[in-house]
Amino acid sequence: MIRVLIADDQPLMRTGFKTVLEATGQFQVVAEADNGAQAIDAAHQHHPDVILMDIRMPGVDGIEATRRLPRHKVLVLTTFGLDEYIVEALRAGASGFLTKDVPRQELVAAVKAVANGDAVLSPKVTRQLLDRVAHRLPQATPTQDLTHLTDREREVLQLIAGGLSNAEIAAALVVAEPTAKRHVSNLLGKLGLRDRVQAVIYAYEHGVIERGRGG
């Protein structure tokens, strides 16, 4: 049973999400919140597997709440489909982004994916979004943090940041796909990142990839 926290300032929206998820018999909504501050408290109290987080909420908004919950898996839901909201949510630590009019099957699949540690938004789409809004983001700040990475790990980070799949990374490195998958997992673990989308954000913010040159 996947434990879910729903944070949205509209009661009817929370009820709708809860009804859809619990009707499958695979989810349990352990708590609800109508603002970001409540979501933070509820997350610490109930330890949900996934948080459905609205962006526009009074007081502490969903992006700031996500930023304050670095160890939780967050799936952002919003009526706003603007690129900057997607990017800010991902930079804050979200593992995925869906609009509130998403079909119920996609909602269920997305919550399952995030619970399993996958990202709902692909690395390639993330890279394209970052390129489109690069002028709104802080300047990349290359740091010495990457000195602890091996040459192979840096290469893998660049390939992930380019939006390549495990199969494509394997082809680029001339290794078997399971080996490429292991390289990716080791890199994410070493950098303390939850998924490949977070790796794209990390690469962008550390100057590993050139802005505005999306793949």
Side-chain angles (χ1 to χ4, degrees):
M1 187 75 70
I2 297 173
R3 294 162 52 82
V4 180
L5 162 63
I6 302 175
D8 193 298
D9 62 346
Q10 300 179 41
L12 287 178
M13 192 65 67
R14 296 198 305 271
T15 299
F17 290 143
K18 179 177 181 179
T19 300
V20 169
L21 292 174
E22 293 193 335
T24 67
Q26 303 173 64
F27 304 91
Q28 177 187 5
V29 176
V30 296
E32 299 181 28
D34 61 16
N35 59 60
Q38 288 184 9
I40 294 169
D41 290 341
H44 291 318
Q45 180 179 353
H46 297 280
H47 307 290
D49 299 310
V50 179
I51 301 174
L52 293 184
M53 185 82 77
D54 186 22
I55 286 182
R56 289 291 185 90
M57 293 186 290
V60 178
D61 65 19
I63 292 176
E64 180 59 26
T66 299
R67 190 174 291 115
R68 297 186 194 179
L69 294 168
R71 297 186 179 182
H72 289 77
K73 297 173 182 176
V74 177
L75 177 59
V76 170
L77 289 157
T78 182
T79 52
F80 299 88
L82 301 178
D83 292 346
E84 51 264 43
Y85 284 110
I86 301 174
V87 172
E88 285 304 311
L90 294 173
R91 291 178 75 238
S95 293
F97 182 101
L98 294 172
T99 55
K100 291 184 179 180
D101 58 357
V102 63
R104 65 180 60 195
Q105 297 92 336
E106 291 184 26
L107 172 64
V108 169
V111 177
K112 285 183 182 178
V114 171
N116 290 330
D118 296 328
V120 173
L121 199 59
S122 74
K124 186 171 184 178
V125 170
T126 304
R127 175 70 190 278
Q128 292 170 345
L129 288 167
L130 286 167
D131 286 333
R132 289 209 295 268
V133 300
H135 62 285
R136 301 192 190 96
L137 301 178
Q139 289 299 308
T141 54
T143 70
Q144 298 303 309
D145 292 346
L146 300 180
T147 59
H148 67 295
L149 297 181
T150 65
D151 290 341
R152 174 49 57 92
E153 287 168 341
R154 293 180 192 177
E155 187 175 8
V156 171
L157 179 58
Q158 289 177 324
L159 293 171
I160 294 174
L164 274 65
S165 66
N166 285 341
E168 292 168 332
I169 291 175
L173 299 179
V174 195
V175 298
E177 187 171 345
T179 301
K181 184 177 181 180
R182 185 168 63 252
H183 283 319
V184 171
S185 296
N186 291 342
L187 176 67
L188 295 178
K190 195 167 186 177
L191 296 178
L193 303 173
R194 283 199 302 269
D195 53 47
R196 298 162 68 95
V197 166
Q198 296 302 309
V200 178
I201 303 291
Y202 182 94
Y204 225 76
E205 294 187 331
H206 286 77
V208 174
I209 50 180
E210 184 178 349
R211 292 170 177 235
R213 298 289 297 276

